[in-house]
Amino acid sequence: MDALTDNLDLILKGFLETLKLLLSSGLLALALGTLIGVFRLSPVPILRGVAVAYVTIFRNTPLLVLILLTYYGLPQLGIDFGFFWNITLAMGFYTASFVSEAIRSGVNGIPLGQAEAARSIGMPFGMTMTQVLLPQAFRLVVPPLASVFIALTKNTSLAAGFGIAEATFRLKGLLNDHATERVTIFVGIAIGYIIIVELISFGAHLFERKYAVTR
Amino acid sequence: MKFTTTRSRRARWAAVAATAVLALSACGSAGEDSSGDDDVDVSSNAASSFEDGTRMKELAEAGTVKIGVKFDQPGVGFKAAGSKTPTGFDPEMGKVIAGKLGISPDKIEWVETISDNREPFLQKGTVDFVLASYSITDERRQVVGQAGPYYVTGQSLLVAADDDSIKGPEDLKGKKVCSVTGSTSIKTVEEEFGAQPAGFDTYSECVEQLKNGSVDAVTTDGAILLGYAAEAPDQLKVVGEPFSEERYGIGYSKDSPELCEFLNDTLTESFDGGEWKKAFDATLGKSGNEAPETPTLDPCS
């Protein structure tokens, strides 16, 4: 246990960095993913095409490949935002493709009559989306979105090998320094991740109960 | 007419077969040549000189040994793309040890060990020895055996050749400093000198980020950094005095404590017999460094 208790400050620092990464890439994924999801449902063919292309590219590319692209590809083109934002970009763009698919499934889950009713009283597409469909869709897709963000939480551990001193980075450091307490260290760091994931699912659960769509 | 056709066809087949045989024999002799170049003494009938039941006897009788080395540290342990065997000071010392067991260099199985898996590899028997810039520490000695040291170096800094802002570890406050994730070096610069740690999986990636300007310095043992500086002298330089003492040891499994005496004897012989200096001059010495004094070995307890 000494390895964990003596280095608690470092471990907390690591998890703070993990949370920062989760928050920044999560927000990016949510914003971008919603936008792409709306594009996917829009009546404009070009926007639909863009959305399909986006989802196909980013959902099918391994996250590690995207990270390597932002770390070694972008700087070649003269674009470099620094380690933190480069990896946020890769994780945000990757996760956005899953968010957009979740949103799309949510909108598809709303009875067609609602969109027809909105259109029949003269609402344009944007208004139908923001006033009628999206608010209901978000409530429907809380469970799949929670899964997406749980996956993102675990994906942030890839950052350990890319200049970010997050929790997995601290794990590796501790393993190297305390060869006798490997199991304790693994368990300790795993519990940290479990706490974050449990918080996400607890939040999702509360949200679902409070704003459940009743039919 | 028909007869001659068959004959010429047969002749052609014979020619093909002869070429194949020649090609094969050429391969064979090439292999022998490369092992001859290594110039390491291989004891003949080494197995008989070890007592029954010792790990040395087992290895000598098996005629093969698995040695864990780094593949990404020029001068220390490095495997070039497409090359079959690693080069560097650590592999050279590995050959010396194998030679003492009666095992020629071409019978050594080189296994890549990264910093994280050195202890597990020794404990599980994935490798028999680890020579991988493996610093001796009390913590590690509780789980694996470490004989030596066979080389003493210290943590240094590699910076861009045109960077005058970093002259030593005191200038690192708030600077982004790269090293391998999990290494002791990265911990030292963070905790003692207030640097911002940036971890990558290999030193090569760190050097890449330094060349990009994404990090301000790369830190690890001076031996490794000198190797990189020697590869790109107009882009990179090593600055300041070493600010730690790293004593490289040879890792072995705790299940065979008898290996310690054997390794220490082998190291002493290589110190006295000049094999150690030869290994240094052929690898780390290439960056212009003189071979240092031979280190004093820790006694086997």
Side-chain angles (χ1 to χ4, degrees):
Chain A
M1 278 304 274
D2 293 352
L4 290 179
T5 46
D6 292 353
N7 296 294
L8 199 63
D9 53 331
L10 284 183
I11 296 174
L12 290 179
K13 242 166 108 181
F15 274 108
L16 189 70
E17 204 69 22
T18 296
L19 285 174
K20 266 165 69 185
L21 201 57
L22 175 64
L23 205 68
S24 62
S25 50
L27 286 176
L28 175 63
L30 204 58
L32 192 63
T34 309
L35 188 71
I36 299 291
V38 171
F39 277 12
R40 187 88 193 247
L41 296 159
S42 82
V44 185
I46 294 176
L47 291 185
R48 280 207 303 275
V50 167
V52 169
Y54 182 94
V55 171
T56 312
I57 291 170
F58 286 97
R59 196 173 55 170
N60 294 324
T61 312
L63 178 55
L64 186 59
V65 173
L66 290 177
I67 296 173
L68 291 174
L69 276 175
T70 56
Y71 270 71
Y72 300 104
L74 288 186
Q76 296 282 319
L77 303 172
I79 309 165
D80 194 352
F81 302 107
F83 293 147
F84 187 82
W85 294 109
N86 275 4
I87 203 149
T88 296
L89 215 59
M91 293 200 179
F93 270 62
Y94 175 79
T95 312
S97 63
F98 293 93
V99 170
S100 94
E101 286 298 272
I103 301 275
R104 187 166 73 99
S105 75
V107 171
N108 284 340
I110 301 166
L112 194 60
Q114 300 234 0
E116 286 171 345
R119 214 176 302 145
S120 70
I121 58 169
M123 278 190 175
F125 172 75
M127 212 174 171
T128 312
M129 260 302 162
T130 53
Q131 302 296 314
V132 180
L133 298 180
L134 280 184
Q136 297 188 67
F138 270 119
R139 293 184 211 173
L140 277 174
V141 298
V142 167
L145 270 189
S147 298
V148 167
F149 288 116
I150 287 168
L152 176 62
T153 308
K154 293 180 279 186
N155 284 341
T156 57
S157 62
L158 280 173
F162 294 93
I164 310 287
E166 46 74 82
T168 304
F169 171 91
R170 298 297 174 191
L171 166 80
K172 287 189 148 196
L174 291 178
L175 285 182
N176 200 25
D177 289 339
H178 304 274
T180 46
E181 293 187 64
R182 288 184 165 248
V183 179
T184 327
I185 295 166
F186 270 120
V187 172
I189 298 287
I191 289 174
Y193 277 105
I194 290 170
I195 292 174
I196 297 180
V197 168
E198 279 303 312
L199 283 177
I200 294 176
S201 32
F202 183 67
H205 184 68
L206 280 189
F207 188 91
E208 229 189 323
R209 280 231 324 238
K210 192 153 183 214
Y211 299 102
V213 182
T214 43
R215 291 227 176 87
Chain B
M1 205 45 203
K2 199 182 173 197
F3 183 72
T4 38
T5 321
T6 326
R7 209 167 145 180
S8 68
R9 198 178 283 160
R10 202 175 279 165
R12 211 179 294 155
W13 275 114
V16 170
T19 319
V21 169
L22 276 175
L24 280 175
S25 60
C27 289
S29 63
E32 278 158 33
D33 280 349
S34 68
S35 65
D37 282 345
D38 289 316
D39 204 24
V40 175
D41 295 335
V42 177
S43 326
S44 47
N45 66 25
S48 58
S49 60
F50 298 117
E51 275 177 51
D52 286 342
T54 59
R55 186 76 189 125
M56 290 83 84
K57 179 112 182 167
E58 280 173 45
L59 287 170
E61 281 179 344
T64 159
V65 61
K66 287 172 287 191
I67 301 182
V69 293
K70 293 273 176 75
F71 279 6
D72 65 330
Q73 297 173 357
V76 179
F78 184 76
K79 196 168 117 168
S83 149
K84 281 206 182 90
T85 49
T87 55
F89 186 53
D90 284 345
E92 285 307 317
M93 289 309 291
K95 288 176 194 167
V96 170
I97 292 157
K100 201 55 67 181
L101 292 165
I103 298 166
S104 61
D106 55 319
K107 288 285 190 314
I108 302 174
E109 194 183 318
W110 301 106
V111 180
E112 180 175 20
T113 49
I114 58 166
S115 295
D116 283 347
N117 62 22
R118 290 176 298 200
E119 288 94 16
F121 272 20
L122 284 170
Q123 286 170 322
K124 282 188 294 182
T126 313
V127 296
D128 299 306
F129 299 109
V130 164
L131 287 100
S133 50
Y134 197 16
S135 301
I136 297 176
T137 70
D138 292 339
E139 269 286 330
R140 287 173 180 158
R141 274 193 168 155
Q142 289 181 30
V143 278
V144 295
Q146 286 186 311
Y150 61 93
Y151 184 64
V152 179
T153 178
Q155 189 173 352
S156 299
L157 295 170
L158 182 74
V159 298
D162 55 1
D163 184 351
D164 294 326
S165 68
I166 300 175
K167 293 193 173 66
E170 309 76 35
D171 303 326
L172 289 180
K173 198 160 176 48
K175 300 268 188 185
K176 262 195 202 146
V177 180
C178 192
S179 193
V180 164
T181 305
S183 65
T184 319
S185 318
I186 200 162
K187 186 178 152 187
T188 309
V189 289
E190 182 186 15
E191 291 182 354
E192 288 179 27
F193 301 105
Q196 204 186 323
F200 279 78
D201 285 340
T202 62
Y203 294 111
S204 320
E205 284 173 64
C206 277
V207 171
E208 205 55 43
Q209 297 298 332
L210 177 62
K211 286 179 183 168
N212 275 353
S214 300
V215 298
D216 302 305
V218 176
T219 186
T220 183
D221 303 344
I224 299 164
L225 296 180
L226 282 172
Y228 283 110
E231 281 190 338
D234 44 341
Q235 280 179 288
L236 307 168
K237 63 179 179 188
V238 177
V239 292
E241 291 293 307
F243 48 98
S244 75
E245 191 190 62
E246 303 298 332
R247 302 156 69 244
Y248 288 178
I250 304 170
Y252 59 92
S253 166
K254 264 208 135 133
D255 298 339
S256 318
E258 69 273 15
L259 283 170
C260 183
E261 289 292 346
F262 160 75
L263 288 170
N264 271 4
D265 291 349
T266 308
L267 285 177
T268 309
E269 275 176 48
S270 74
F271 292 168
D272 299 340
E275 285 162 300
W276 181 82
K277 188 176 181 306
K278 211 194 289 171
F280 184 89
D281 289 342
T283 54
L284 288 173
K286 278 188 182 159
S287 55
N289 289 41
E290 287 286 302
E293 292 283 296
T294 54
T296 314
L297 297 175
D298 291 354
C300 293
S301 50

